């Protein structure tokens, strides 16, 4: 499995697992291959409807910065998803 296949598999899996949550803005954030463990660690980010700011201004102008959730998808070298974990982002 190469990096493009790992990313594609992770995004498809996340879209499927979270399908009932109406995800938007699903995208790649980071990817790493752990040679020792023979694992791909693919971080994806996405937005969900309840994480979006709702007020009169955003109703008119649209939400300029929807909040994002991040998940690390671990896959083995055969493309099998082993886990999905929350990735917390620390802001400065």
């Amino acid at each position: 499995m190469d990096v493009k296949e790992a990313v594609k598999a992770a995004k498809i899996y996340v879209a499927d697992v979270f399908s009932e949550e109406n995800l938007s803005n699903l995208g790649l954030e980071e990817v790493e291959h752990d040679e020792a463990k023979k694992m791909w660690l693919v971080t994806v980010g996405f937005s969900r409807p309840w994480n979006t700011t709702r007020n009169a201004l955003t109703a008119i102008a649209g939400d300029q910065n929807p909040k994002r959730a991040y998940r690390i998808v671990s896959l083995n070298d055969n493309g099998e998803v082993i886990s999905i974990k929350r990735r917390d982002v620390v802001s400065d």
Side-chain angles (χ1 to χ4, degrees):
M1 169 171 270
D2 68 16
V3 66
K4 288 182 179 181
E5 293 169 325
V7 170
K8 184 176 180 178
K11 288 171 73 176
I12 289 170
Y13 194 82
V14 166
D16 183 45
V17 168
F18 291 91
S19 65
E20 294 182 16
E21 297 186 14
N22 299 317
L23 299 186
S24 62
N25 305 317
L26 176 62
L28 174 66
E29 300 294 336
E30 298 175 343
V31 63
E32 176 183 358
H33 186 255
D34 186 329
E35 283 291 329
K37 294 181 180 178
K38 306 269 191 236
M39 298 283 291
W40 287 96
L41 304 172
V42 181
T43 303
V44 295
F46 53 83
S47 303
R48 295 183 279 195
W50 58 87
N51 295 121
T52 303
T53 304
R54 303 243 189 249
N55 61 39
L57 182 58
T58 59
I60 295 168
D63 193 357
Q64 300 301 314
N65 295 310
K67 293 180 182 160
R68 292 179 63 74
Y70 300 94
R71 298 295 184 267
I72 301 171
V73 182
S74 301
L75 304 99
N76 65 22
D77 278 345
N78 295 324
E80 178 185 4
V81 174
I82 305 302
S83 68
I84 299 176
K85 295 182 181 180
R86 177 190 308 260
R87 180 171 188 271
D88 293 321
V89 177
V90 179
S91 57
D92 298 327

Coordinates of all heavy atoms in Angstrom, one line a residue:
M1 N 0.9 -1.2 0.0 CA 0.0 0.0 0.0 C 0.9 1.2 0.0 O 1.8 1.3 0.8 CB -0.9 0.0 1.2 CG -1.6 1.2 1.5 SD -2.9 1.1 2.8 CE -4.3 0.6 1.9
D2 N 0.6 2.2 -0.9 CA 1.3 3.4 -0.9 C 0.5 4.5 -0.2 O -0.6 4.3 0.3 CB 1.8 3.8 -2.3 CG 0.6 4.3 -3.2 OD1 -0.5 4.5 -2.7 OD2 0.8 4.3 -4.4
V3 N 1.1 5.7 -0.1 CA 0.5 6.8 0.7 C -0.9 7.2 0.1 O -1.8 7.4 0.9 CB 1.5 8.0 0.8 CG1 1.7 8.7 -0.6 CG2 1.0 9.0 1.8
K4 N -1.0 7.3 -1.2 CA -2.3 7.6 -1.8 C -3.4 6.6 -1.4 O -4.5 7.0 -1.2 CB -2.1 7.8 -3.3 CG -1.4 9.1 -3.7 CD -1.3 9.2 -5.2 CE -0.6 10.4 -5.6 NZ -0.6 10.6 -7.1
E5 N -3.0 5.4 -1.5 CA -4.0 4.3 -1.2 C -4.4 4.4 0.3 O -5.6 4.2 0.6 CB -3.4 2.9 -1.5 CG -3.2 2.7 -3.0 CD -2.4 1.4 -3.2 OE1 -1.5 1.1 -2.5 OE2 -2.7 0.8 -4.3
A6 N -3.4 4.6 1.2 CA -3.7 4.7 2.6 C -4.6 5.9 2.9 O -5.6 5.8 3.7 CB -2.4 4.9 3.4
V7 N -4.4 7.0 2.3 CA -5.2 8.2 2.5 C -6.6 8.0 2.0 O -7.6 8.3 2.6 CB -4.6 9.5 1.8 CG1 -5.6 10.6 1.8 CG2 -3.3 9.8 2.5
K8 N -6.7 7.4 0.8 CA -8.0 7.1 0.2 C -8.8 6.2 1.1 O -10.0 6.4 1.4 CB -7.9 6.5 -1.2 CG -9.2 6.3 -1.9 CD -8.9 5.8 -3.3 CE -10.2 5.5 -4.0 NZ -10.0 5.1 -5.4
A9 N -8.2 5.1 1.5 CA -8.9 4.1 2.4 C -9.3 4.8 3.7 O -10.5 4.5 4.2 CB -7.9 2.9 2.7
A10 N -8.5 5.6 4.3 CA -8.9 6.3 5.6 C -10.1 7.2 5.4 O -11.0 7.2 6.2 CB -7.7 7.0 6.1
K11 N -10.0 8.0 4.3 CA -11.1 8.9 4.1 C -12.5 8.2 3.8 O -13.5 8.6 4.3 CB -10.8 9.9 2.9 CG -9.7 10.9 3.3 CD -9.2 11.7 2.2 CE -10.2 12.7 1.7 NZ -9.6 13.5 0.6
I12 N -12.4 7.1 3.0 CA -13.6 6.3 2.7 C -14.1 5.7 4.0 O -15.3 5.8 4.2 CB -13.3 5.3 1.6 CG1 -13.1 5.9 0.3 CG2 -14.4 4.2 1.6 CD1 -12.6 4.9 -0.8
Y13 N -13.3 5.2 4.8 CA -13.7 4.6 6.1 C -14.4 5.6 7.0 O -15.4 5.3 7.6 CB -12.5 3.9 6.8 CG -12.9 3.0 7.9 CD1 -13.3 1.7 7.6 CD2 -12.9 3.4 9.2 CE1 -13.7 0.8 8.6 CE2 -13.3 2.5 10.2 CZ -13.7 1.2 9.9 OH -14.1 0.4 10.9
V14 N -13.7 6.8 7.2 CA -14.3 7.8 8.1 C -15.6 8.3 7.5 O -16.6 8.4 8.3 CB -13.3 9.0 8.2 CG1 -14.0 10.2 8.8 CG2 -12.1 8.6 9.1
A15 N -15.7 8.5 6.2 CA -17.0 8.9 5.6 C -18.1 7.9 5.9 O -19.3 8.2 6.2 CB -16.8 9.2 4.1
D16 N -17.7 6.6 5.8 CA -18.7 5.5 6.1 C -19.1 5.4 7.5 O -20.3 5.4 7.9 CB -18.1 4.2 5.6 CG -19.1 3.1 5.7 OD1 -20.3 3.2 5.4 OD2 -18.7 2.0 6.2
V17 N -18.1 5.4 8.4 CA -18.4 5.3 9.9 C -19.2 6.4 10.4 O -20.1 6.3 11.2 CB -17.1 5.1 10.6 CG1 -17.3 5.3 12.1 CG2 -16.4 3.8 10.3
F18 N -18.9 7.6 9.9 CA -19.6 8.8 10.4 C -20.7 9.3 9.4 O -21.2 10.4 9.5 CB -18.6 10.0 10.6 CG -17.6 9.8 11.7 CD1 -16.4 9.2 11.5 CD2 -17.9 10.3 13.0 CE1 -15.5 9.0 12.5 CE2 -17.0 10.1 14.0 CZ -15.8 9.5 13.8
S19 N -21.2 8.4 8.6 CA -22.2 8.8 7.5 C -23.5 9.4 8.1 O -24.1 10.2 7.4 CB -22.5 7.6 6.7 OG -23.2 6.6 7.4
E20 N -23.9 9.0 9.2 CA -25.2 9.5 9.8 C -25.0 10.9 10.4 O -25.9 11.5 10.9 CB -25.8 8.5 10.8 CG -26.2 7.2 10.1 CD -26.9 6.3 11.1 OE1 -27.2 6.7 12.2 OE2 -27.0 5.1 10.7
E21 N -23.7 11.4 10.5 CA -23.5 12.7 11.1 C -23.3 13.8 10.2 O -22.9 14.9 10.6 CB -22.2 12.5 12.0 CG -22.5 11.5 13.1 CD -21.3 11.4 14.1 OE1 -20.5 12.3 14.1 OE2 -21.3 10.5 14.9
N22 N -23.6 13.6 8.9 CA -23.6 14.6 7.9 C -22.3 15.4 7.8 O -22.3 16.6 7.9 CB -24.8 15.6 8.0 CG -26.1 14.9 7.9 OD1 -26.2 14.0 7.0 ND2 -27.0 15.1 8.7
L23 N -21.1 14.7 7.7 CA -19.8 15.4 7.7 C -19.7 16.3 6.5 O -20.3 16.0 5.4 CB -18.7 14.3 7.6 CG -18.6 13.3 8.7 CD1 -17.3 12.4 8.4 CD2 -18.5 13.9 10.0
S24 N -18.9 17.3 6.6 CA -18.6 18.2 5.5 C -17.1 18.5 5.7 O -16.5 18.3 6.7 CB -19.4 19.4 5.5 OG -19.2 20.2 6.7
N25 N -16.5 19.0 4.6 CA -15.1 19.4 4.6 C -14.1 18.3 5.0 O -13.1 18.6 5.7 CB -14.9 20.6 5.5 CG -15.8 21.8 5.1 OD1 -16.0 22.1 4.0 ND2 -16.4 22.4 6.1
L26 N -14.4 17.1 4.6 CA -13.5 15.9 5.0 C -12.2 16.1 4.2 O -12.3 16.2 3.0 CB -14.2 14.6 4.6 CG -13.3 13.3 4.8 CD1 -12.9 13.2 6.3 CD2 -14.1 12.1 4.4
G27 N -11.1 16.1 4.9 CA -9.8 16.3 4.2 C -8.7 15.8 5.0 O -8.7 15.6 6.2
L28 N -7.6 15.5 4.2 CA -6.4 15.0 4.8 C -5.7 16.1 5.6 O -5.6 17.3 5.1 CB -5.4 14.6 3.7 CG -4.0 14.2 4.1 CD1 -4.0 12.9 4.9 CD2 -3.2 13.9 2.8
E29 N -5.1 15.8 6.7 CA -4.3 16.7 7.5 C -2.9 16.3 7.6 O -2.0 17.1 7.4 CB -4.9 16.9 8.9 CG -6.4 17.4 9.0 CD -6.5 18.8 8.5 OE1 -5.5 19.6 8.6 OE2 -7.6 19.2 8.1
E30 N -2.7 15.0 7.9 CA -1.3 14.5 8.1 C -1.3 13.0 7.7 O -2.3 12.3 7.8 CB -0.8 14.5 9.5 CG -0.7 15.9 10.1 CD -0.3 15.9 11.6 OE1 -0.5 14.9 12.2 OE2 0.1 17.0 12.0
V31 N -0.2 12.5 7.3 CA 0.0 11.1 7.1 C 1.4 10.7 7.5 O 2.4 11.4 7.3 CB -0.3 10.7 5.6 CG1 0.6 11.3 4.6 CG2 -0.3 9.2 5.4
E32 N 1.5 9.5 8.1 CA 2.8 9.0 8.5 C 2.8 7.5 8.4 O 1.8 6.8 8.6 CB 3.0 9.4 10.0 CG 4.2 8.8 10.6 CD 4.3 9.2 12.1 OE1 3.4 9.9 12.6 OE2 5.3 8.7 12.8
H33 N 3.9 6.9 8.0 CA 4.1 5.5 7.9 C 5.1 5.0 9.0 O 6.2 5.5 9.0 CB 4.5 5.0 6.6 CG 4.5 3.5 6.4 ND1 5.7 2.7 6.5 CD2 3.5 2.6 6.3 CE1 5.3 1.5 6.3 NE2 4.0 1.4 6.3
D34 N 4.6 4.2 9.9 CA 5.5 3.6 10.9 C 6.1 2.3 10.4 O 5.4 1.3 10.4 CB 4.7 3.4 12.2 CG 5.5 3.0 13.4 OD1 6.6 2.3 13.2 OD2 5.2 3.3 14.5
E35 N 7.3 2.3 10.0 CA 8.0 1.1 9.4 C 8.0 0.0 10.4 O 7.8 -1.2 10.1 CB 9.4 1.5 8.9 CG 9.4 2.2 7.6 CD 8.9 1.4 6.4 OE1 9.1 0.1 6.4 OE2 8.4 2.0 5.5
A36 N 8.4 0.3 11.7 CA 8.5 -0.7 12.7 C 7.2 -1.5 12.9 O 7.3 -2.7 13.1 CB 9.1 -0.1 14.0
K37 N 6.1 -0.7 13.0 CA 4.8 -1.4 13.2 C 4.1 -1.8 12.0 O 3.0 -2.4 12.0 CB 4.0 -0.4 14.1 CG 4.5 -0.2 15.5 CD 3.6 0.7 16.2 CE 4.1 1.0 17.6 NZ 3.3 1.9 18.4
K38 N 4.6 -1.4 10.8 CA 4.0 -1.6 9.5 C 2.5 -1.1 9.5 O 1.6 -1.7 9.2 CB 3.9 -3.1 9.2 CG 5.3 -3.8 9.3 CD 5.9 -3.7 7.9 CE 7.1 -4.6 7.9 NZ 8.3 -3.9 7.5
M39 N 2.4 0.2 10.0 CA 1.1 0.9 10.1 C 1.2 2.2 9.4 O 2.2 2.9 9.5 CB 0.8 1.1 11.6 CG 0.7 -0.1 12.4 SD -0.9 -1.0 12.2 CE -2.0 0.2 12.9
W40 N 0.0 2.6 8.9 CA -0.2 4.0 8.4 C -1.0 4.7 9.4 O -2.0 4.2 9.9 CB -1.0 3.9 7.1 CG -0.1 3.4 5.9 CD1 -0.1 2.2 5.4 CD2 0.7 4.2 5.1 NE1 0.8 2.1 4.4 CE2 1.3 3.4 4.1 CE3 1.1 5.6 5.1 CZ2 2.2 3.8 3.2 CZ3 2.0 6.0 4.2 CH2 2.6 5.1 3.2
L41 N -0.6 5.9 9.7 CA -1.4 6.8 10.6 C -1.8 8.0 9.8 O -1.0 8.8 9.4 CB -0.5 7.3 11.8 CG 0.1 6.1 12.6 CD1 1.1 6.7 13.6 CD2 -1.0 5.3 13.3
V42 N -3.1 8.0 9.5 CA -3.6 9.1 8.6 C -4.6 10.0 9.4 O -5.6 9.5 10.0 CB -4.4 8.5 7.4 CG1 -5.0 9.5 6.5 CG2 -3.5 7.5 6.6
T43 N -4.2 11.2 9.5 CA -5.1 12.2 10.3 C -6.0 12.9 9.3 O -5.5 13.5 8.3 CB -4.2 13.2 11.0 OG1 -3.3 12.5 11.9 CG2 -5.1 14.1 11.8
V44 N -7.3 12.8 9.5 CA -8.2 13.5 8.7 C -9.0 14.5 9.5 O -9.2 14.3 10.8 CB -9.2 12.6 8.0 CG1 -8.5 11.7 7.0 CG2 -10.0 11.7 9.0
G45 N -9.5 15.6 8.9 CA -10.3 16.6 9.6 C -11.6 16.7 8.9 O -11.7 16.4 7.7
F46 N -12.6 17.1 9.7 CA -14.0 17.3 9.1 C -14.8 18.2 10.0 O -14.4 18.4 11.1 CB -14.7 15.9 8.9 CG -14.7 15.1 10.1 CD1 -15.7 15.2 11.1 CD2 -13.8 14.1 10.3 CE1 -15.8 14.4 12.2 CE2 -13.8 13.3 11.4 CZ -14.8 13.4 12.4
S47 N -15.9 18.6 9.5 CA -16.8 19.5 10.2 C -18.2 18.7 10.3 O -18.5 17.9 9.5 CB -17.1 20.8 9.5 OG -15.9 21.5 9.3
R48 N -18.9 19.0 11.4 CA -20.2 18.4 11.6 C -21.2 19.6 11.9 O -20.8 20.6 12.4 CB -20.2 17.4 12.8 CG -19.3 16.2 12.5 CD -19.4 15.2 13.6 NE -18.5 15.7 14.7 CZ -18.1 14.9 15.6 NH1 -18.5 13.6 15.7 NH2 -17.3 15.3 16.6
P49 N -22.4 19.3 11.6 CA -23.4 20.4 11.7 C -23.5 21.1 13.1 O -23.6 22.3 13.2 CB -24.8 19.8 11.4 CG -24.4 18.6 10.5 CD -23.1 18.1 11.0
W50 N -23.4 20.3 14.2 CA -23.5 20.8 15.5 C -22.3 21.5 16.0 O -22.3 22.2 17.0 CB -23.9 19.8 16.5 CG -23.0 18.6 16.6 CD1 -21.9 18.5 17.4 CD2 -23.1 17.4 15.9 NE1 -21.3 17.3 17.2 CE2 -22.0 16.6 16.3 CE3 -24.0 16.9 15.0 CZ2 -21.8 15.3 15.8 CZ3 -23.8 15.6 14.5 CH2 -22.7 14.8 14.9
N51 N -21.2 21.5 15.2 CA -19.9 22.2 15.6 C -19.9 23.5 14.9 O -18.9 24.2 15.0 CB -18.7 21.4 15.2 CG -18.6 20.1 16.0 OD1 -18.6 19.0 15.4 ND2 -18.6 20.2 17.3
T52 N -20.9 23.9 14.2 CA -20.9 25.2 13.4 C -21.6 26.3 14.2 O -22.7 26.0 14.8 CB -21.6 25.0 12.1 OG1 -21.0 23.9 11.4 CG2 -21.6 26.2 11.2
T53 N -21.0 27.4 14.3 CA -21.6 28.6 15.0 C -22.9 29.0 14.3 O -23.0 29.1 13.1 CB -20.6 29.8 14.9 OG1 -19.4 29.3 15.5 CG2 -21.2 30.9 15.7
R54 N -23.9 29.2 15.1 CA -25.2 29.5 14.5 C -25.7 30.8 15.2 O -26.0 30.9 16.4 CB -26.3 28.5 14.8 CG -25.9 27.1 14.3 CD -26.9 26.7 13.2 NE -26.6 25.3 12.8 CZ -26.2 25.0 11.7 NH1 -25.9 25.9 10.8 NH2 -25.9 23.7 11.4
N55 N -25.8 31.9 14.4 CA -26.3 33.2 14.9 C -26.8 33.9 13.6 O -26.7 33.5 12.5 CB -25.3 34.0 15.7 CG -24.1 34.3 15.0 OD1 -24.1 34.7 13.8 ND2 -22.9 34.3 15.6
A56 N -27.4 35.1 13.8 CA -27.9 35.9 12.7 C -26.9 36.2 11.6 O -27.1 36.2 10.4 CB -28.6 37.1 13.2
L57 N -25.7 36.6 12.1 CA -24.6 37.0 11.2 C -24.2 35.8 10.3 O -24.0 35.9 9.1 CB -23.4 37.5 11.9 CG -22.3 38.0 11.0 CD1 -22.7 39.1 10.0 CD2 -21.1 38.6 11.9
T58 N -24.0 34.6 10.9 CA -23.6 33.5 10.1 C -24.7 33.0 9.2 O -24.4 32.4 8.1 CB -23.1 32.3 11.0 OG1 -24.1 31.9 11.9 CG2 -21.8 32.7 11.7
A59 N -25.9 33.2 9.6 CA -27.1 32.8 8.7 C -27.1 33.6 7.5 O -27.4 33.1 6.4 CB -28.4 33.0 9.5
I60 N -26.6 34.9 7.6 CA -26.6 35.8 6.4 C -25.3 35.6 5.6 O -25.3 35.4 4.4 CB -26.7 37.3 6.8 CG1 -28.1 37.5 7.5 CG2 -26.5 38.2 5.6 CD1 -28.2 38.8 8.2
A61 N -24.2 35.6 6.3 CA -22.9 35.6 5.6 C -22.3 34.2 5.4 O -21.4 34.0 4.7 CB -21.9 36.4 6.4
G62 N -22.8 33.2 6.2 CA -22.2 31.9 6.2 C -21.1 31.8 7.2 O -20.4 32.8 7.5
D63 N -20.9 30.6 7.7 CA -19.8 30.4 8.7 C -18.5 30.4 8.0 O -18.2 29.5 7.2 CB -20.0 29.1 9.5 CG -19.2 29.0 10.7 OD1 -18.4 29.9 11.0 OD2 -19.3 28.0 11.4
Q64 N -17.7 31.4 8.3 CA -16.4 31.5 7.6 C -15.3 30.5 8.2 O -14.4 30.1 7.4 CB -15.8 32.9 7.8 CG -16.7 34.0 7.2 CD -16.9 33.8 5.8 OE1 -16.0 33.6 5.0 NE2 -18.2 33.9 5.3
N65 N -15.5 30.1 9.4 CA -14.5 29.2 10.0 C -15.2 28.1 10.7 O -15.3 28.1 12.0 CB -13.6 29.9 11.0 CG -12.7 30.9 10.3 OD1 -12.1 30.6 9.3 ND2 -12.7 32.2 10.8
P66 N -15.8 27.1 10.0 CA -16.4 26.0 10.7 C -15.4 25.2 11.6 O -14.3 25.1 11.2 CB -17.0 25.1 9.6 CG -16.2 25.5 8.4 CD -15.8 26.9 8.6
K67 N -15.8 24.9 12.8 CA -15.0 24.1 13.6 C -14.7 22.7 13.0 O -15.6 22.2 12.4 CB -15.6 24.0 15.0 CG -15.6 25.3 15.7 CD -16.2 25.2 17.1 CE -16.3 26.6 17.7 NZ -17.2 26.7 18.8
R68 N -13.5 22.2 13.3 CA -13.2 20.9 12.7 C -12.9 19.9 13.8 O -12.4 20.2 14.9 CB -12.0 21.0 11.8 CG -12.3 21.8 10.6 CD -11.2 22.0 9.6 NE -10.6 20.8 9.0 CZ -11.1 20.1 8.1 NH1 -12.3 20.5 7.6 NH2 -10.5 19.1 7.6
A69 N -13.2 18.7 13.6 CA -12.8 17.5 14.4 C -11.7 16.8 13.7 O -11.7 16.8 12.4 CB -14.0 16.6 14.6
Y70 N -10.8 16.2 14.4 CA -9.7 15.5 13.8 C -9.6 14.1 14.3 O -9.8 13.8 15.5 CB -8.3 16.2 14.1 CG -8.3 17.6 13.6 CD1 -8.7 18.7 14.4 CD2 -8.0 17.9 12.3 CE1 -8.7 20.0 13.9 CE2 -8.0 19.2 11.8 CZ -8.3 20.2 12.6 OH -8.3 21.5 12.1
R71 N -9.4 13.1 13.4 CA -9.2 11.7 13.8 C -8.0 11.1 13.2 O -7.7 11.4 12.0 CB -10.5 10.9 13.4 CG -11.8 11.4 14.0 CD -11.8 11.2 15.5 NE -13.1 11.5 16.1 CZ -13.4 12.7 16.6 NH1 -12.5 13.7 16.6 NH2 -14.5 12.9 17.2
I72 N -7.3 10.3 13.9 CA -6.2 9.5 13.4 C -6.7 8.1 13.1 O -7.2 7.4 13.9 CB -5.1 9.4 14.4 CG1 -4.6 10.8 14.8 CG2 -3.9 8.6 13.8 CD1 -3.6 10.8 16.0
V73 N -6.6 7.7 11.8 CA -7.0 6.4 11.3 C -5.7 5.6 11.2 O -4.8 6.0 10.5 CB -7.8 6.5 10.0 CG1 -8.2 5.1 9.6 CG2 -8.9 7.5 10.1
S74 N -5.7 4.5 11.9 CA -4.6 3.6 11.8 C -4.9 2.4 10.9 O -6.0 1.8 11.1 CB -4.2 3.0 13.2 OG -3.9 4.0 14.1
L75 N -4.1 2.2 9.9 CA -4.3 1.1 9.0 C -3.1 0.2 8.9 O -1.9 0.7 9.0 CB -4.6 1.6 7.6 CG -5.7 2.6 7.3 CD1 -5.1 4.0 7.3 CD2 -6.4 2.3 6.1
N76 N -3.2 -1.1 8.7 CA -2.1 -1.9 8.5 C -1.7 -1.8 7.0 O -2.3 -1.2 6.2 CB -2.3 -3.4 9.0 CG -3.4 -4.1 8.1 OD1 -3.7 -3.7 7.0 ND2 -3.9 -5.1 8.7
D77 N -0.5 -2.4 6.7 CA 0.0 -2.3 5.3 C -0.9 -3.0 4.3 O -0.8 -2.8 3.1 CB 1.4 -2.8 5.2 CG 2.4 -1.8 5.7 OD1 2.1 -0.6 5.8 OD2 3.6 -2.2 5.9
N78 N -1.9 -3.7 4.7 CA -2.9 -4.4 3.8 C -4.1 -3.5 3.6 O -5.0 -3.8 2.8 CB -3.3 -5.7 4.3 CG -2.2 -6.7 4.3 OD1 -1.3 -6.7 3.5 ND2 -2.2 -7.6 5.4
G79 N -4.2 -2.3 4.3 CA -5.3 -1.4 4.1 C -6.4 -1.6 5.1 O -7.4 -1.0 5.1
E80 N -6.3 -2.6 6.0 CA -7.3 -2.9 7.0 C -7.2 -1.8 8.1 O -6.2 -1.5 8.7 CB -7.1 -4.2 7.6 CG -8.1 -4.6 8.7 CD -7.8 -5.9 9.4 OE1 -6.7 -6.5 9.1 OE2 -8.6 -6.3 10.3
V81 N -8.4 -1.2 8.4 CA -8.4 -0.2 9.5 C -8.4 -0.9 10.8 O -9.2 -1.8 11.1 CB -9.7 0.7 9.4 CG1 -9.8 1.7 10.5 CG2 -9.7 1.5 8.0
I82 N -7.4 -0.4 11.6 CA -7.3 -1.0 13.0 C -8.0 -0.2 14.0 O -8.6 -0.7 15.0 CB -5.8 -1.1 13.3 CG1 -5.0 -1.9 12.2 CG2 -5.5 -1.7 14.7 CD1 -5.5 -3.3 12.0
S83 N -7.9 1.2 13.9 CA -8.5 2.0 14.9 C -8.8 3.4 14.3 O -8.2 3.8 13.3 CB -7.7 2.1 16.1 OG -6.5 2.8 15.9
I84 N -9.7 4.1 15.0 CA -9.9 5.5 14.8 C -9.8 6.2 16.1 O -10.5 5.8 17.1 CB -11.3 5.8 14.2 CG1 -11.5 5.2 12.8 CG2 -11.5 7.4 14.0 CD1 -12.8 5.4 12.2
K85 N -9.0 7.2 16.3 CA -8.8 7.9 17.6 C -8.9 9.4 17.4 O -8.5 9.9 16.3 CB -7.4 7.6 18.2 CG -7.3 6.1 18.5 CD -5.9 5.9 19.2 CE -5.7 4.4 19.5 NZ -4.4 4.2 20.1
R86 N -9.4 10.0 18.4 CA -9.5 11.5 18.4 C -8.1 12.1 18.5 O -7.3 11.6 19.2 CB -10.3 12.0 19.6 CG -10.4 13.5 19.7 CD -11.0 13.9 21.0 NE -12.3 13.2 21.3 CZ -13.5 13.8 21.2 NH1 -13.6 15.0 20.7 NH2 -14.5 13.1 21.5
R87 N -7.9 13.1 17.7 CA -6.7 13.9 17.8 C -7.0 15.3 18.2 O -7.7 16.0 17.5 CB -6.0 13.9 16.4 CG -4.7 14.7 16.5 CD -3.9 14.6 15.3 NE -2.5 15.2 15.4 CZ -2.3 16.5 15.2 NH1 -3.2 17.3 14.8 NH2 -1.0 16.9 15.3
D88 N -6.6 15.6 19.4 CA -6.9 16.9 20.0 C -5.8 17.9 19.4 O -4.7 17.5 19.3 CB -6.9 16.9 21.5 CG -8.0 16.1 22.1 OD1 -9.1 16.2 21.5 OD2 -7.8 15.4 23.0
V89 N -6.3 19.1 19.1 CA -5.4 20.1 18.6 C -5.2 21.1 19.7 O -6.1 21.7 20.2 CB -6.0 20.7 17.3 CG1 -5.0 21.8 16.8 CG2 -6.2 19.7 16.2
V90 N -3.9 21.4 19.9 CA -3.6 22.4 20.9 C -3.3 23.7 20.2 O -2.5 23.8 19.3 CB -2.4 22.0 21.8 CG1 -2.0 23.1 22.8 CG2 -2.6 20.7 22.4
S91 N -4.1 24.8 20.5 CA -3.8 26.1 19.9 C -2.9 26.9 20.7 O -2.9 26.8 21.9 CB -5.2 26.8 19.6 OG -5.9 26.9 20.8
D92 N -2.2 27.8 20.0 CA -1.2 28.6 20.7 C -1.9 29.8 21.3 O -2.8 30.3 21.0 CB -0.2 29.1 19.7 CG 0.6 27.9 19.1 OD1 0.8 27.0 19.9 OD2 1.1 28.0 18.0

